[in-house]
Amino acid sequence: MLSIGNVIDLPAPEQELLDELVNVLNAHNSKNRKKIRYYEGHVTVREVNLDIALPKGLSRLEVGCAWGQKCVDVLAARSMFDGFVGQNGEPNDLINQIVENNSLVYEYQKATRDELKFGSSFATLAMDQNKNVSIRFHSPMEASGLWDGENGRLKAGLAIMDSVPDESQKDTWRPSMVNLYTDTATWVLERPAKTTRWFATGYSHKMGRPLMVAMTWDATSNKPFGRSRLKKPIRSLIDGYIRTIADAAIALEFDTTPQKYLLGVSDDQYDAITSDKFKQYVGAILTSTSNPETGENPEFGQLPQGNIEPHIQMLRSLATQFSAATGLTVSDTGVVNDANPTSSDAILAQSQTLITLAEQLNSGNATALKKIALMAQAMQLNTTLENLDENYASVIAHYKNPAMPSVASTADAAIKISSARPNFAGTDIFLEMLGFDQADIRRIKAQEERIKGSNVLAEEFTADDEKDANTAQNLATGAGNDEG
């Protein structure tokens, strides 16, 4: 829980915003921690036990479940940000340099997982010591925002800037630097070591909006900061998986040691048998004399073994429901049933819902990334958003195909397109569709330029040799005429 209180040198209006933002951050802390536990698979059997079939003494049994992580990561993996494209498809050197300096392609991957896990993630911008734009992403565990419905953007934002030094200190660690973002300034709040007082320093800017952008998933009018992929119905299915696996594990233990019985034994025989049940179970021969009190011979029997198949059927049912609720294929759950696809076309058909969700994710994030790019360029050029040149203002985010088609299919499509548009074969997009990455494309173009240069030189040398030969021939012809 974050606690700041009154900050020295912070104006009253900003103090009110700060208090509200801290309250928002703390109010969602417990819910966000629960989502992390479901994502990491740290939900215990005790939390999901219905106290019917599972004995309380076995509630400490731990069952790992990766469905929460799958729910987030499989969709995030299909959102492949690939940089920005400038006006008319031309490269924009300024934004490309900003992307490279901030490792934005890689950082976007982490931000997208947080966005799907919690419903949103936040990007903040600042100028570093070298006068370069610095872009950082924050999860809702360390950032919060207030929504401005009138303008459709953040009204103000807060982000904890210094992260916990080590995971083992996460419950006792206290931050010492927090940024407050408003329309006119970024306020850096610092708490010196071994003190409880916070001090504010304001840095004004020209953006007319906070230097903070929210990336949201599945946002609505009532929930502008989005909704988590790990919402309650999904968590309930994960609970069901954990219960079913626990029940199946216990049932398997009983199936491994089936219950046996002996009727008509004496007290001494009973004591001998129960004194070491495991020895009696693994023994090859079980012997007993007649009961001296009744004269009856002991009667041996074994109860029928339980059946684990109902648990397997329950798992298949849960996997099918989880697949329908998340858009993942049944194969992604790790459970095999009749719904598993058997051909490439069937796999693509089952993935269609996930592809649609990835396109929705890309569309929303592309808007947020453009806002980030525009502010970053304006800050780097020391200007306002309104005064950005068209070459800078027209940048758009580029994503790779979320369908993730095979190289063979994209190469075939590229060749067919190039037959209809001959100039297409000379573009970088053509090479990308053939399966080459940017590093390979640069090498290919560099070697093509070298070969082209070598050919030009060879043609020039050939032309010079032919010219020299013609000159020599003309001289020889002239000399012959003179002699004649």
Side-chain angles (χ1 to χ4, degrees):
M1 302 292 283
L2 180 64
S3 177
I4 295 181
N6 292 327
V7 180
I8 298 174
D9 297 330
L10 185 65
E14 280 72 13
Q15 181 69 56
E16 292 180 5
L17 290 174
L18 174 64
D19 294 340
E20 192 172 355
L21 287 163
V22 171
N23 289 336
V24 170
L25 181 67
N26 292 335
H28 291 86
N29 185 269
S30 60
K31 292 182 180 179
N32 288 335
R33 286 185 180 275
K34 177 182 287 188
K35 292 168 187 174
I36 290 176
R37 290 173 52 246
Y38 272 88
Y39 176 81
E40 299 290 349
H42 292 164
V43 182
T44 63
V45 175
R46 178 179 298 178
E47 296 175 75
V48 303
N49 187 17
L50 299 178
D51 293 333
I52 298 176
L54 187 64
K56 292 183 179 181
L58 297 176
S59 60
R60 294 183 179 180
L61 181 67
E62 294 186 3
V63 176
C65 179
W67 280 9
Q69 189 170 359
K70 280 280 188 179
C71 178
V72 171
D73 290 357
V74 172
L75 177 56
R78 288 183 179 266
S79 181
M80 296 171 283
F81 172 59
D82 197 34
F84 292 94
V85 178
Q87 189 178 25
N88 299 325
E90 295 297 325
N92 181 321
D93 294 335
L94 176 60
I95 191 60
N96 288 343
Q97 189 62 48
I98 293 173
V99 169
E100 183 177 349
N101 291 344
N102 291 278
S103 303
L104 204 58
V105 174
Y106 173 69
E107 293 298 325
Y108 172 83
Q109 299 173 7
K110 296 190 292 184
T112 304
R113 285 195 290 269
D114 285 336
E115 175 188 2
L116 296 174
K117 191 189 309 179
F118 301 108
S120 62
S121 62
F122 300 91
T124 60
L125 297 92
M127 297 297 293
D128 62 18
Q129 297 178 350
N130 297 322
K131 301 300 181 181
N132 293 321
V133 176
S134 172
I135 302 173
R136 289 183 58 179
F137 290 95
H138 310 266
S139 79
M141 290 295 296
E142 58 185 18
S144 62
L146 300 177
W147 189 253
D148 183 352
E150 181 180 356
N151 296 310
R153 58 170 175 80
L154 285 175
K155 175 183 177 182
L158 174 146
I160 299 174
M161 303 308 293
D162 53 339
S163 57
V164 58
D166 187 80
E167 186 72 13
S168 62
Q169 304 175 21
K170 63 181 181 179
D171 295 326
T172 58
W173 173 80
R174 295 176 58 201
S176 60
M177 179 180 291
V178 174
N179 281 5
L180 172 65
Y181 300 90
T182 68
D183 287 347
T184 58
T186 296
W187 292 87
V188 179
L189 315 180
E190 295 179 286
R191 178 179 57 83
K194 299 181 180 180
T195 65
T196 58
R197 302 301 304 274
W198 289 79
F199 299 85
T201 305
Y203 299 90
S204 60
H205 58 74
K206 306 175 182 179
M207 293 300 109
R209 57 171 297 159
L211 299 181
M212 187 177 192
V213 177
M215 293 169 50
T216 59
W217 164 252
D218 200 19
T220 65
S221 299
N222 295 330
K223 292 182 177 292
F225 288 107
R227 294 180 291 178
S228 170
R229 285 270 288 174
L230 299 174
K231 46 186 177 286
K232 189 173 181 179
I234 304 301
R235 298 199 300 267
S236 297
L237 291 172
I238 294 175
D239 292 345
Y241 173 93
I242 295 173
R243 276 195 301 270
T244 303
I245 290 294
D247 291 340
I250 294 171
L252 186 61
E253 290 293 321
F254 284 114
D255 291 347
T256 305
T257 57
Q259 291 180 304
K260 303 175 183 179
Y261 62 86
L262 273 173
L263 302 177
V265 296
S266 65
D267 292 343
D268 293 339
Q269 291 171 335
Y270 175 82
D271 293 338
I273 293 171
T274 58
S275 63
D276 194 344
K277 294 181 180 180
F278 183 75
K279 181 178 180 181
Q280 303 299 329
Y281 171 73
V282 300
I285 299 176
L286 185 64
T287 60
S288 178
T289 60
S290 61
N291 191 327
E293 298 177 0
T294 62
E296 297 179 356
N297 291 324
E299 181 182 348
F300 174 81
Q302 178 174 307
L303 297 178
Q305 288 180 298
N307 188 2
I308 200 173
E309 186 60 29
H311 304 291
I312 303 300
Q313 291 295 336
M314 184 61 181
L315 275 180
R316 290 172 177 168
S317 175
L318 289 170
T320 303
Q321 295 178 60
F322 187 81
S323 173
T326 61
L328 272 65
T329 65
V330 179
S331 300
D332 289 325
T333 66
V335 178
V336 179
N337 61 15
D338 295 337
N340 287 89
T342 56
S343 66
S344 58
D345 292 339
I347 293 173
L348 182 61
Q350 270 206 354
S351 302
Q352 195 59 49
T353 301
L354 190 65
I355 294 171
T356 303
L357 292 175
E359 291 173 345
Q360 176 186 336
L361 176 63
N362 291 347
S363 177
N365 285 353
T367 302
L369 287 172
K370 180 167 184 176
K371 294 177 182 177
I372 295 170
L374 293 180
M375 287 198 292
Q377 292 177 108
M379 292 172 63
Q380 195 68 66
L381 297 172
N382 193 26
T383 185
T384 63
L385 292 174
E386 293 76 12
N387 293 330
L388 272 179
D389 186 84
E390 181 63 23
N391 293 331
Y392 300 117
S394 62
V395 296
I396 58 175
H398 175 254
Y399 288 87
K400 294 182 180 179
N401 189 349
M404 303 172 71
S406 65
V407 174
S409 62
T410 54
D412 182 62
I415 293 172
K416 290 180 179 178
I417 294 173
S418 64
S419 63
R421 300 176 65 91
N423 293 332
F424 178 70
T427 65
D428 288 355
I429 298 175
F430 176 79
L431 295 175
E432 288 177 357
M433 293 180 70
L434 293 182
F436 298 107
D437 58 21
Q438 283 299 318
D440 289 333
I441 291 174
R442 290 184 182 182
R443 293 172 60 200
I444 290 171
K445 286 187 170 294
Q447 293 182 25
E448 286 178 343
E449 290 297 326
R450 284 199 294 269
I451 293 173
K452 187 185 298 184
S454 299
N455 291 338
V456 169
L457 290 175
E459 291 175 359
E460 290 181 355
F461 287 142
T462 302
D464 290 341
D465 291 342
E466 291 178 354
K467 183 177 180 181
D468 293 342
N470 291 334
T471 301
Q473 184 177 358
N474 291 335
L475 290 173
T477 305
N481 292 334
D482 293 340
E483 291 177 1

